[in-house]
Amino acid sequence: MSELLSTALVTGGSRGIGKAVAETLARAGHQVYLTYVSKPVEAETVVEGIRAAGGKAAAFQLDVGDSEAVADFFHTEIRDKVALDVLVNNAGITKDGLMLRMKDADFDQVVQINLRGAFLCLREAAKIMTKQRRGRIVNITSVVGQMGNAGQVNYSAAKAGLIGLTKSAAKELAARSITVNAVAPGFVETDMTAGLSDEVRKAYAEAIPLRRLGTAQDIAEAVAFLASPGASYITGQILGVNGGMYC
């Protein structure tokens, strides 16, 4: 039987941070599987770019908040078909609003995708990685999960939950040589921040000691390090990539 191909799974990999992570892990030598929900063209564009650069990649539609869909995906596309060496839980949404006006559905949906979705994928990946006795899991949390942010109680709560999930899973999986860490981006130049006014962007930049917003590549490099052999003795940690705004 031929050796299974080392594969990195990146959820929410069609744009922004997920896209940069997928491309960076591909350059590191992994075959990359990326998931998307509603933007197949963008996802296929990422795949084509990786292939054009000499890498291997494939895109799959997956709602990470759907437990049955997640279990079926891992059974159909991952288990016994590839060597799942890396999982990056990046898929996430925002439904911002002041707490007193926030709808229950907006709170629930953000937690469902951003926190429960990461748990579902982590659980399925752990089943495979424990048999392999190796693996790297990186959860994308956020600086607002550490310091909070007005207008984002749902998002902040979900991202804070990811920190607890990371630390607990790290303790459970360490005996099988599986590391579980998280990267906590600060304010990053993505589609989510593209609509901010110049005044707001300037205010954000002035609050950051390095005086600039981060880039998706800044985050991708941190993820790639935690997924690399050089990070084999690092687990249960939250790596802030925020320009010094929260130390």
mmCIF file of all heavy atoms in Angstrom, residues 131-181:
data_model
loop_
_atom_site.group_PDB
_atom_site.id
_atom_site.type_symbol
_atom_site.label_atom_id
_atom_site.label_comp_id
_atom_site.label_asym_id
_atom_site.label_seq_id
_atom_site.Cartn_x
_atom_site.Cartn_y
_atom_site.Cartn_z
ATOM 1 N N LYS A 131 -4.771 7.757 15.926
ATOM 2 C CA LYS A 131 -4.324 6.498 15.322
ATOM 3 C C LYS A 131 -2.975 6.674 14.631
ATOM 4 O O LYS A 131 -2.146 5.769 14.634
ATOM 5 C CB LYS A 131 -5.370 5.986 14.341
ATOM 6 C CG LYS A 131 -6.655 5.525 15.001
ATOM 7 C CD LYS A 131 -7.641 4.967 13.985
ATOM 8 C CE LYS A 131 -8.914 4.483 14.665
ATOM 9 N NZ LYS A 131 -9.897 3.928 13.686
ATOM 10 N N GLN A 132 -2.771 7.850 14.045
ATOM 11 C CA GLN A 132 -1.488 8.150 13.408
ATOM 12 C C GLN A 132 -0.387 8.403 14.430
ATOM 13 O O GLN A 132 0.788 8.304 14.130
ATOM 14 C CB GLN A 132 -1.611 9.414 12.540
ATOM 15 C CG GLN A 132 -2.549 9.298 11.365
ATOM 16 C CD GLN A 132 -2.710 10.621 10.612
ATOM 17 O OE1 GLN A 132 -3.253 10.639 9.528
ATOM 18 N NE2 GLN A 132 -2.245 11.731 11.177
ATOM 19 N N ARG A 133 -0.818 8.802 15.640
ATOM 20 C CA ARG A 133 0.091 9.221 16.708
ATOM 21 C C ARG A 133 0.933 10.428 16.292
ATOM 22 O O ARG A 133 2.107 10.553 16.641
ATOM 23 C CB ARG A 133 0.995 8.063 17.152
ATOM 24 C CG ARG A 133 0.228 6.991 17.910
ATOM 25 C CD ARG A 133 1.130 5.917 18.460
ATOM 26 N NE ARG A 133 0.382 4.998 19.300
ATOM 27 C CZ ARG A 133 0.168 5.159 20.602
ATOM 28 N NH1 ARG A 133 0.654 6.232 21.214
ATOM 29 N NH2 ARG A 133 -0.516 4.274 21.292
ATOM 30 N N ARG A 134 0.278 11.341 15.610
ATOM 31 C CA ARG A 134 0.910 12.610 15.258
ATOM 32 C C ARG A 134 -0.159 13.550 14.717
ATOM 33 O O ARG A 134 -1.208 13.111 14.253
ATOM 34 C CB ARG A 134 2.013 12.437 14.218
ATOM 35 C CG ARG A 134 1.500 12.083 12.836
ATOM 36 C CD ARG A 134 2.630 11.964 11.826
ATOM 37 N NE ARG A 134 2.110 11.830 10.469
ATOM 38 C CZ ARG A 134 1.717 10.686 9.917
ATOM 39 N NH1 ARG A 134 1.783 9.566 10.622
ATOM 40 N NH2 ARG A 134 1.268 10.661 8.666
ATOM 41 N N GLY A 135 0.140 14.840 14.765
ATOM 42 C CA GLY A 135 -0.776 15.813 14.177
ATOM 43 C C GLY A 135 -0.573 17.195 14.760
ATOM 44 O O GLY A 135 -0.060 17.369 15.872
ATOM 45 N N ARG A 136 -0.976 18.183 13.980
ATOM 46 C CA ARG A 136 -0.924 19.577 14.400
ATOM 47 C C ARG A 136 -2.310 20.178 14.189
ATOM 48 O O ARG A 136 -2.865 20.119 13.092
ATOM 49 C CB ARG A 136 0.086 20.373 13.554
ATOM 50 C CG ARG A 136 1.519 19.876 13.659
ATOM 51 C CD ARG A 136 2.169 20.425 14.928
ATOM 52 N NE ARG A 136 3.596 20.119 14.930
ATOM 53 C CZ ARG A 136 4.123 19.005 15.422
ATOM 54 N NH1 ARG A 136 3.329 18.092 15.952
ATOM 55 N NH2 ARG A 136 5.429 18.814 15.389
ATOM 56 N N ILE A 137 -2.859 20.766 15.233
ATOM 57 C CA ILE A 137 -4.145 21.444 15.145
ATOM 58 C C ILE A 137 -3.942 22.896 15.545
ATOM 59 O O ILE A 137 -3.360 23.181 16.600
ATOM 60 C CB ILE A 137 -5.191 20.773 16.049
ATOM 61 C CG1 ILE A 137 -5.445 19.330 15.590
ATOM 62 C CG2 ILE A 137 -6.507 21.569 16.035
ATOM 63 C CD1 ILE A 137 -6.300 18.514 16.529
ATOM 64 N N VAL A 138 -4.398 23.805 14.690
ATOM 65 C CA VAL A 138 -4.280 25.232 14.965
ATOM 66 C C VAL A 138 -5.658 25.870 14.832
ATOM 67 O O VAL A 138 -6.293 25.785 13.776
ATOM 68 C CB VAL A 138 -3.299 25.923 13.997
ATOM 69 C CG1 VAL A 138 -3.149 27.406 14.383
ATOM 70 C CG2 VAL A 138 -1.933 25.238 14.010
ATOM 71 N N ASN A 139 -6.112 26.471 15.905
ATOM 72 C CA ASN A 139 -7.401 27.168 15.903
ATOM 73 C C ASN A 139 -7.170 28.668 15.729
ATOM 74 O O ASN A 139 -6.293 29.235 16.368
ATOM 75 C CB ASN A 139 -8.143 26.922 17.216
ATOM 76 C CG ASN A 139 -8.475 25.454 17.420
ATOM 77 O OD1 ASN A 139 -8.871 24.761 16.491
ATOM 78 N ND2 ASN A 139 -8.313 24.968 18.643
ATOM 79 N N ILE A 140 -7.969 29.285 14.861
ATOM 80 C CA ILE A 140 -7.859 30.731 14.679
ATOM 81 C C ILE A 140 -8.859 31.409 15.612
ATOM 82 O O ILE A 140 -10.060 31.403 15.377
ATOM 83 C CB ILE A 140 -8.115 31.143 13.222
ATOM 84 C CG1 ILE A 140 -7.201 30.370 12.275
ATOM 85 C CG2 ILE A 140 -7.902 32.653 13.073
ATOM 86 C CD1 ILE A 140 -5.715 30.585 12.506
ATOM 87 N N THR A 141 -8.340 31.970 16.685
ATOM 88 C CA THR A 141 -9.166 32.722 17.616
ATOM 89 C C THR A 141 -9.043 34.206 17.261
ATOM 90 O O THR A 141 -8.955 34.549 16.086
ATOM 91 C CB THR A 141 -8.798 32.406 19.083
ATOM 92 O OG1 THR A 141 -9.634 33.155 19.953
ATOM 93 C CG2 THR A 141 -7.351 32.640 19.390
ATOM 94 N N SER A 142 -9.053 35.100 18.211
ATOM 95 C CA SER A 142 -8.988 36.535 17.910
ATOM 96 C C SER A 142 -8.578 37.308 19.148
ATOM 97 O O SER A 142 -8.836 36.877 20.283
ATOM 98 C CB SER A 142 -10.354 37.040 17.428
ATOM 99 O OG SER A 142 -10.373 38.458 17.333
ATOM 100 N N VAL A 143 -7.978 38.456 18.904
ATOM 101 C CA VAL A 143 -7.640 39.332 20.019
ATOM 102 C C VAL A 143 -8.890 39.731 20.798
ATOM 103 O O VAL A 143 -8.829 39.938 22.021
ATOM 104 C CB VAL A 143 -6.883 40.585 19.516
ATOM 105 C CG1 VAL A 143 -7.770 41.470 18.657
ATOM 106 C CG2 VAL A 143 -6.285 41.379 20.675
ATOM 107 N N VAL A 144 -10.045 39.797 20.139
ATOM 108 C CA VAL A 144 -11.254 40.185 20.870
ATOM 109 C C VAL A 144 -11.745 39.058 21.775
ATOM 110 O O VAL A 144 -12.542 39.298 22.687
ATOM 111 C CB VAL A 144 -12.390 40.652 19.927
ATOM 112 C CG1 VAL A 144 -11.916 41.811 19.060
ATOM 113 C CG2 VAL A 144 -12.942 39.526 19.086
ATOM 114 N N GLY A 145 -11.276 37.851 21.557
ATOM 115 C CA GLY A 145 -11.561 36.762 22.478
ATOM 116 C C GLY A 145 -10.751 36.874 23.755
ATOM 117 O O GLY A 145 -11.062 36.238 24.763
ATOM 118 N N GLN A 146 -9.708 37.698 23.720
ATOM 119 C CA GLN A 146 -8.860 37.923 24.885
ATOM 120 C C GLN A 146 -9.214 39.215 25.612
ATOM 121 O O GLN A 146 -9.172 39.269 26.842
ATOM 122 C CB GLN A 146 -7.386 37.973 24.444
ATOM 123 C CG GLN A 146 -6.890 36.686 23.803
ATOM 124 C CD GLN A 146 -5.500 36.842 23.196
ATOM 125 O OE1 GLN A 146 -5.272 37.742 22.385
ATOM 126 N NE2 GLN A 146 -4.584 35.985 23.592
ATOM 127 N N MET A 147 -9.565 40.255 24.853
ATOM 128 C CA MET A 147 -9.786 41.565 25.473
ATOM 129 C C MET A 147 -11.218 42.066 25.355
ATOM 130 O O MET A 147 -11.575 43.054 25.987
ATOM 131 C CB MET A 147 -8.845 42.603 24.845
ATOM 132 C CG MET A 147 -9.027 42.798 23.355
ATOM 133 S SD MET A 147 -7.839 43.964 22.617
ATOM 134 C CE MET A 147 -8.563 45.530 23.121
ATOM 135 N N GLY A 148 -12.069 41.367 24.564
ATOM 136 C CA GLY A 148 -13.436 41.811 24.364
ATOM 137 C C GLY A 148 -13.522 42.959 23.377
ATOM 138 O O GLY A 148 -12.516 43.596 23.047
ATOM 139 N N ASN A 149 -14.741 43.229 22.891
ATOM 140 C CA ASN A 149 -14.935 44.341 21.968
ATOM 141 C C ASN A 149 -16.411 44.707 21.947
ATOM 142 O O ASN A 149 -17.269 43.835 21.766
ATOM 143 C CB ASN A 149 -14.478 43.973 20.556
ATOM 144 C CG ASN A 149 -14.287 45.187 19.671
ATOM 145 O OD1 ASN A 149 -13.861 46.248 20.129
ATOM 146 N ND2 ASN A 149 -14.587 45.042 18.395
ATOM 147 N N ALA A 150 -16.697 45.972 22.152
ATOM 148 C CA ALA A 150 -18.087 46.427 22.124
ATOM 149 C C ALA A 150 -18.700 46.133 20.761
ATOM 150 O O ALA A 150 -18.070 46.348 19.727
ATOM 151 C CB ALA A 150 -18.160 47.932 22.418
ATOM 152 N N GLY A 151 -19.934 45.642 20.781
ATOM 153 C CA GLY A 151 -20.618 45.312 19.539
ATOM 154 C C GLY A 151 -20.327 43.922 19.017
ATOM 155 O O GLY A 151 -20.812 43.542 17.948
ATOM 156 N N GLN A 152 -19.547 43.147 19.774
ATOM 157 C CA GLN A 152 -19.182 41.803 19.319
ATOM 158 C C GLN A 152 -19.251 40.787 20.459
ATOM 159 O O GLN A 152 -18.386 39.934 20.590
ATOM 160 C CB GLN A 152 -17.770 41.795 18.726
ATOM 161 C CG GLN A 152 -17.653 42.480 17.366
ATOM 162 C CD GLN A 152 -16.320 42.205 16.711
ATOM 163 O OE1 GLN A 152 -15.259 42.401 17.308
ATOM 164 N NE2 GLN A 152 -16.356 41.742 15.466
ATOM 165 N N VAL A 153 -20.291 40.857 21.269
ATOM 166 C CA VAL A 153 -20.356 39.908 22.387
ATOM 167 C C VAL A 153 -20.444 38.473 21.894
ATOM 168 O O VAL A 153 -19.886 37.559 22.518
ATOM 169 C CB VAL A 153 -21.539 40.216 23.330
ATOM 170 C CG1 VAL A 153 -21.336 41.528 24.048
ATOM 171 C CG2 VAL A 153 -22.868 40.201 22.586
ATOM 172 N N ASN A 154 -21.127 38.240 20.777
ATOM 173 C CA ASN A 154 -21.238 36.882 20.238
ATOM 174 C C ASN A 154 -19.903 36.395 19.695
ATOM 175 O O ASN A 154 -19.449 35.286 20.008
ATOM 176 C CB ASN A 154 -22.331 36.807 19.171
ATOM 177 C CG ASN A 154 -22.246 37.903 18.110
ATOM 178 O OD1 ASN A 154 -21.335 38.734 18.112
ATOM 179 N ND2 ASN A 154 -23.210 37.920 17.197
ATOM 180 N N TYR A 155 -19.262 37.222 18.897
ATOM 181 C CA TYR A 155 -17.979 36.863 18.289
ATOM 182 C C TYR A 155 -16.897 36.704 19.367
ATOM 183 O O TYR A 155 -16.120 35.745 19.359
ATOM 184 C CB TYR A 155 -17.582 37.940 17.286
ATOM 185 C CG TYR A 155 -16.372 37.624 16.443
ATOM 186 C CD1 TYR A 155 -16.456 36.746 15.372
ATOM 187 C CD2 TYR A 155 -15.145 38.237 16.703
ATOM 188 C CE1 TYR A 155 -15.345 36.468 14.582
ATOM 189 C CE2 TYR A 155 -14.027 37.976 15.920
ATOM 190 C CZ TYR A 155 -14.137 37.096 14.862
ATOM 191 O OH TYR A 155 -13.035 36.822 14.077
ATOM 192 N N SER A 156 -16.864 37.641 20.304
ATOM 193 C CA SER A 156 -15.869 37.578 21.380
ATOM 194 C C SER A 156 -16.063 36.335 22.239
ATOM 195 O O SER A 156 -15.085 35.680 22.633
ATOM 196 C CB SER A 156 -15.948 38.833 22.248
ATOM 197 O OG SER A 156 -15.648 39.997 21.512
ATOM 198 N N ALA A 157 -17.323 36.005 22.535
ATOM 199 C CA ALA A 157 -17.603 34.822 23.348
ATOM 200 C C ALA A 157 -17.161 33.555 22.630
ATOM 201 O O ALA A 157 -16.566 32.650 23.238
ATOM 202 C CB ALA A 157 -19.089 34.754 23.674
ATOM 203 N N ALA A 158 -17.448 33.473 21.332
ATOM 204 C CA ALA A 158 -17.055 32.290 20.562
ATOM 205 C C ALA A 158 -15.544 32.161 20.485
ATOM 206 O O ALA A 158 -14.987 31.064 20.650
ATOM 207 C CB ALA A 158 -17.659 32.361 19.159
ATOM 208 N N LYS A 159 -14.867 33.277 20.256
ATOM 209 C CA LYS A 159 -13.414 33.231 20.140
ATOM 210 C C LYS A 159 -12.750 32.961 21.494
ATOM 211 O O LYS A 159 -11.707 32.311 21.570
ATOM 212 C CB LYS A 159 -12.903 34.541 19.531
ATOM 213 C CG LYS A 159 -13.290 34.727 18.065
ATOM 214 C CD LYS A 159 -12.739 33.617 17.184
ATOM 215 C CE LYS A 159 -12.949 33.889 15.711
ATOM 216 N NZ LYS A 159 -12.381 32.838 14.834
ATOM 217 N N ALA A 160 -13.345 33.461 22.567
ATOM 218 C CA ALA A 160 -12.841 33.124 23.902
ATOM 219 C C ALA A 160 -13.034 31.637 24.175
ATOM 220 O O ALA A 160 -12.169 30.977 24.771
ATOM 221 C CB ALA A 160 -13.549 33.961 24.959
ATOM 222 N N GLY A 161 -14.166 31.107 23.736
ATOM 223 C CA GLY A 161 -14.410 29.673 23.874
ATOM 224 C C GLY A 161 -13.372 28.839 23.151
ATOM 225 O O GLY A 161 -12.979 27.760 23.616
ATOM 226 N N LEU A 162 -12.917 29.325 22.007
ATOM 227 C CA LEU A 162 -11.875 28.612 21.260
ATOM 228 C C LEU A 162 -10.582 28.505 22.060
ATOM 229 O O LEU A 162 -9.845 27.527 21.933
ATOM 230 C CB LEU A 162 -11.583 29.328 19.941
ATOM 231 C CG LEU A 162 -12.380 28.902 18.714
ATOM 232 C CD1 LEU A 162 -12.004 29.774 17.524
ATOM 233 C CD2 LEU A 162 -12.149 27.442 18.400
ATOM 234 N N ILE A 163 -10.314 29.509 22.879
ATOM 235 C CA ILE A 163 -9.111 29.458 23.706
ATOM 236 C C ILE A 163 -9.221 28.329 24.725
ATOM 237 O O ILE A 163 -8.284 27.542 24.914
ATOM 238 C CB ILE A 163 -8.879 30.820 24.387
ATOM 239 C CG1 ILE A 163 -8.516 31.870 23.336
ATOM 240 C CG2 ILE A 163 -7.781 30.712 25.450
ATOM 241 C CD1 ILE A 163 -8.423 33.284 23.859
ATOM 242 N N GLY A 164 -10.374 28.216 25.373
ATOM 243 C CA GLY A 164 -10.577 27.117 26.316
ATOM 244 C C GLY A 164 -10.553 25.765 25.628
ATOM 245 O O GLY A 164 -9.999 24.785 26.157
ATOM 246 N N LEU A 165 -11.151 25.698 24.448
ATOM 247 C CA LEU A 165 -11.139 24.462 23.667
ATOM 248 C C LEU A 165 -9.705 24.058 23.332
ATOM 249 O O LEU A 165 -9.328 22.881 23.461
ATOM 250 C CB LEU A 165 -11.943 24.669 22.377
ATOM 251 C CG LEU A 165 -11.947 23.518 21.371
ATOM 252 C CD1 LEU A 165 -12.675 22.304 21.933
ATOM 253 C CD2 LEU A 165 -12.604 23.965 20.059
ATOM 254 N N THR A 166 -8.912 25.020 22.926
ATOM 255 C CA THR A 166 -7.512 24.762 22.566
ATOM 256 C C THR A 166 -6.734 24.194 23.740
ATOM 257 O O THR A 166 -6.044 23.172 23.613
ATOM 258 C CB THR A 166 -6.848 26.065 22.083
ATOM 259 O OG1 THR A 166 -7.507 26.521 20.892
ATOM 260 C CG2 THR A 166 -5.373 25.862 21.801
ATOM 261 N N LYS A 167 -6.840 24.841 24.884
ATOM 262 C CA LYS A 167 -6.055 24.415 26.039
ATOM 263 C C LYS A 167 -6.482 23.037 26.551
ATOM 264 O O LYS A 167 -5.637 22.212 26.934
ATOM 265 C CB LYS A 167 -6.168 25.469 27.145
ATOM 266 C CG LYS A 167 -5.452 26.774 26.802
ATOM 267 C CD LYS A 167 -5.573 27.793 27.914
ATOM 268 C CE LYS A 167 -4.742 29.035 27.620
ATOM 269 N NZ LYS A 167 -3.295 28.757 27.656
ATOM 270 N N SER A 168 -7.779 22.779 26.546
ATOM 271 C CA SER A 168 -8.268 21.486 27.031
ATOM 272 C C SER A 168 -7.916 20.365 26.065
ATOM 273 O O SER A 168 -7.472 19.278 26.480
ATOM 274 C CB SER A 168 -9.787 21.548 27.236
ATOM 275 O OG SER A 168 -10.109 22.481 28.247
ATOM 276 N N ALA A 169 -8.108 20.609 24.770
ATOM 277 C CA ALA A 169 -7.776 19.583 23.778
ATOM 278 C C ALA A 169 -6.281 19.280 23.784
ATOM 279 O O ALA A 169 -5.863 18.129 23.591
ATOM 280 C CB ALA A 169 -8.227 20.031 22.388
ATOM 281 N N ALA A 170 -5.465 20.306 24.013
ATOM 282 C CA ALA A 170 -4.018 20.088 24.066
ATOM 283 C C ALA A 170 -3.656 19.102 25.167
ATOM 284 O O ALA A 170 -2.797 18.231 24.978
ATOM 285 C CB ALA A 170 -3.301 21.420 24.291
ATOM 286 N N LYS A 171 -4.310 19.216 26.311
ATOM 287 C CA LYS A 171 -4.032 18.299 27.411
ATOM 288 C C LYS A 171 -4.494 16.878 27.090
ATOM 289 O O LYS A 171 -3.840 15.896 27.449
ATOM 290 C CB LYS A 171 -4.719 18.797 28.692
ATOM 291 C CG LYS A 171 -4.122 20.086 29.250
ATOM 292 C CD LYS A 171 -4.831 20.529 30.512
ATOM 293 C CE LYS A 171 -4.252 21.830 31.050
ATOM 294 N NZ LYS A 171 -2.861 21.694 31.505
ATOM 295 N N GLU A 172 -5.621 16.755 26.412
ATOM 296 C CA GLU A 172 -6.149 15.428 26.091
ATOM 297 C C GLU A 172 -5.332 14.708 25.025
ATOM 298 O O GLU A 172 -5.231 13.479 25.047
ATOM 299 C CB GLU A 172 -7.599 15.543 25.624
ATOM 300 C CG GLU A 172 -8.574 15.939 26.715
ATOM 301 C CD GLU A 172 -10.022 15.795 26.281
ATOM 302 O OE1 GLU A 172 -10.295 15.058 25.310
ATOM 303 O OE2 GLU A 172 -10.891 16.429 26.921
ATOM 304 N N LEU A 173 -4.760 15.441 24.090
ATOM 305 C CA LEU A 173 -4.144 14.816 22.920
ATOM 306 C C LEU A 173 -2.622 14.745 22.965
ATOM 307 O O LEU A 173 -2.011 14.122 22.101
ATOM 308 C CB LEU A 173 -4.577 15.568 21.659
ATOM 309 C CG LEU A 173 -6.091 15.570 21.389
ATOM 310 C CD1 LEU A 173 -6.413 16.442 20.178
ATOM 311 C CD2 LEU A 173 -6.604 14.146 21.171
ATOM 312 N N ALA A 174 -2.015 15.368 23.950
ATOM 313 C CA ALA A 174 -0.549 15.424 24.002
ATOM 314 C C ALA A 174 0.092 14.046 24.037
ATOM 315 O O ALA A 174 1.164 13.837 23.448
ATOM 316 C CB ALA A 174 -0.099 16.244 25.209
ATOM 317 N N ALA A 175 -0.537 13.096 24.724
ATOM 318 C CA ALA A 175 0.048 11.765 24.856
ATOM 319 C C ALA A 175 0.191 11.057 23.516
ATOM 320 O O ALA A 175 0.974 10.101 23.398
ATOM 321 C CB ALA A 175 -0.795 10.914 25.802
ATOM 322 N N ARG A 176 -0.548 11.511 22.505
ATOM 323 C CA ARG A 176 -0.448 10.909 21.164
ATOM 324 C C ARG A 176 0.363 11.791 20.202
ATOM 325 O O ARG A 176 0.241 11.672 18.997
ATOM 326 C CB ARG A 176 -1.850 10.679 20.599
ATOM 327 C CG ARG A 176 -2.664 9.630 21.353
ATOM 328 C CD ARG A 176 -1.959 8.283 21.396
ATOM 329 N NE ARG A 176 -2.716 7.271 22.112
ATOM 330 C CZ ARG A 176 -3.482 6.346 21.532
ATOM 331 N NH1 ARG A 176 -3.620 6.326 20.226
ATOM 332 N NH2 ARG A 176 -4.123 5.451 22.261
ATOM 333 N N SER A 177 1.185 12.658 20.754
ATOM 334 C CA SER A 177 2.061 13.531 19.957
ATOM 335 C C SER A 177 1.279 14.446 19.029
ATOM 336 O O SER A 177 1.710 14.765 17.914
ATOM 337 C CB SER A 177 3.071 12.698 19.156
ATOM 338 O OG SER A 177 3.904 11.962 20.018
ATOM 339 N N ILE A 178 0.118 14.896 19.495
ATOM 340 C CA ILE A 178 -0.705 15.849 18.756
ATOM 341 C C ILE A 178 -0.660 17.173 19.497
ATOM 342 O O ILE A 178 -0.972 17.222 20.689
ATOM 343 C CB ILE A 178 -2.161 15.362 18.642
ATOM 344 C CG1 ILE A 178 -2.219 14.012 17.939
ATOM 345 C CG2 ILE A 178 -3.019 16.386 17.900
ATOM 346 C CD1 ILE A 178 -3.556 13.312 18.100
ATOM 347 N N THR A 179 -0.260 18.217 18.812
ATOM 348 C CA THR A 179 -0.241 19.529 19.436
ATOM 349 C C THR A 179 -1.492 20.304 19.029
ATOM 350 O O THR A 179 -1.985 20.180 17.916
ATOM 351 C CB THR A 179 1.006 20.335 19.046
ATOM 352 O OG1 THR A 179 0.986 20.622 17.642
ATOM 353 C CG2 THR A 179 2.274 19.571 19.395
ATOM 354 N N VAL A 180 -1.982 21.101 19.961
ATOM 355 C CA VAL A 180 -3.156 21.943 19.709
ATOM 356 C C VAL A 180 -2.826 23.347 20.199
ATOM 357 O O VAL A 180 -2.589 23.560 21.391
ATOM 358 C CB VAL A 180 -4.409 21.419 20.436
ATOM 359 C CG1 VAL A 180 -5.641 22.225 20.000
ATOM 360 C CG2 VAL A 180 -4.622 19.937 20.169
ATOM 361 N N ASN A 181 -2.783 24.281 19.275
ATOM 362 C CA ASN A 181 -2.472 25.666 19.605
ATOM 363 C C ASN A 181 -3.472 26.589 18.914
ATOM 364 O O ASN A 181 -4.290 26.148 18.108
ATOM 365 C CB ASN A 181 -1.052 26.012 19.158
ATOM 366 C CG ASN A 181 0.001 25.256 19.946
ATOM 367 O OD1 ASN A 181 0.233 25.535 21.115
ATOM 368 N ND2 ASN A 181 0.651 24.287 19.299
#
